[in-house]
Amino acid sequence: MSVAVGSVHTAPNTGRSHTVGLRTDGTVVAVGWDKDGQCAVAGWADVVFVAAGWRRTLGVRASGTVLAAGRAREGACQVDEWEEIVAAAAGDWHSVGLRADGTVAAVGNNRRGQCEVSGWRGITSVSAGHLHTVAVTGTGRVHAAGDRSAGAAEVLDWRDVVALSAGSHHTAGVDTRGRVLAAGDNSHGQCDTASWRDVVAVTAGSTHTLGLRADGTVLAAGNNDGGRCDVAGWHVRAR
């Protein structure tokens, strides 16, 4: 079971986006806004993981190498030298890769220090927001780099975290007891998750947050423009 939301930060110049799909045969499809060639993935093969950011698509291959398509200006597509990558995350202007040994690589815009991840160890998952990067370790501790207003300082005190998601300007996590933690910008109520229980997955968008409960129901908090939080009655079935 899983839930996902579009996480490109809300701004006048980011009203368009694209969608990426990974087929069972390792090929990739993409549709939507293609101004910078972010949908040019038709030739990709042997892909096991995909990530989409603003104007960019990443694909992790079974060999541990990474493919990138899209905007090259900030250097976020410079992933050719990455090796032994098992997962990746795409922020607005930076890309993050998780290596099999639990270390992390990052390239792209680093004006808030969001790419300063070289010392991280024991990482099991990574997530990238507008100007910040977060990761969780096998012991449930959280690492963060980048924009402090996105919760990069508060999350360092979190414990027993099993899942983590970086929104544009906030961060959400799930702990071992099924509670949801949230820090950062709360101007739309996207961090009002303290009462949530029995949650197994969480995802943070630009100005809203979704949580998936163990019974398959979905919770939402934050900006409801366009009905993005209208999830009452949803029930996600396990595959």
Side-chain angles (χ1 to χ4, degrees):
M1 300 189 296
S2 66
V3 289
V5 300
S7 59
V8 173
H9 74 280
T10 302
N13 66 334
T14 57
R16 293 165 289 182
S17 60
H18 68 297
T19 301
V20 181
L22 174 62
R23 297 190 180 103
T24 56
D25 65 358
T27 60
V28 180
V29 291
V31 294
W33 189 38
D34 195 31
K35 179 177 174 62
D36 290 273
Q38 58 265 41
C39 292
V41 299
W44 290 9
D46 300 319
V47 175
V48 296
F49 189 98
V50 292
W54 185 54
R55 303 188 184 217
R56 183 174 71 268
T57 304
L58 302 177
V60 178
R61 303 182 70 188
S63 63
T65 57
V66 181
L67 301 165
R71 180 178 170 119
R73 188 180 306 170
E74 291 81 20
C77 286
Q78 295 177 1
V79 298
D80 294 346
E81 296 183 0
W82 287 3
E83 296 179 340
E84 300 181 352
I85 301 296
V86 295
D92 279 11
W93 293 301
H94 70 297
S95 299
V96 183
L98 173 61
R99 298 189 184 96
D101 65 359
T103 60
V104 181
V107 293
N109 184 319
N110 192 38
R111 64 190 175 104
R112 295 292 175 86
Q114 61 264 41
C115 291
E116 296 175 6
V117 300
S118 59
W120 294 0
R121 299 289 185 273
I123 304 301
T124 57
S125 67
V126 293
S127 186
H130 173 42
L131 293 172
H132 74 297
T133 303
V134 292
V136 63
T137 72
T139 60
R141 299 292 297 271
V142 176
H143 291 292
D147 187 4
R148 294 178 65 85
S149 69
E154 294 94 324
V155 300
L156 300 180
D157 293 327
W158 293 357
R159 298 291 184 272
D160 301 321
V161 175
V162 295
L164 198 65
S165 179
S168 292
H169 301 283
H170 73 295
T171 304
V174 181
D175 69 14
T176 54
R177 290 185 284 178
R179 301 178 306 173
V180 175
L181 309 166
D185 175 45
N186 194 34
S187 57
H188 294 273
Q190 60 265 47
C191 292
D192 294 341
T193 62
S195 64
W196 293 5
R197 294 293 184 271
D198 300 319
V199 173
V200 295
V202 67
T203 185
S206 59
T207 53
H208 73 300
T209 304
L210 297 181
L212 177 62
R213 300 182 67 190
D215 64 2
T217 56
V218 180
L219 302 168
N223 188 348
N224 195 34
D225 287 352
R228 69 190 74 178
C229 289
D230 291 342
V231 298
W234 283 18
H235 191 277
V236 180
R237 290 180 295 179
R239 289 182 293 177

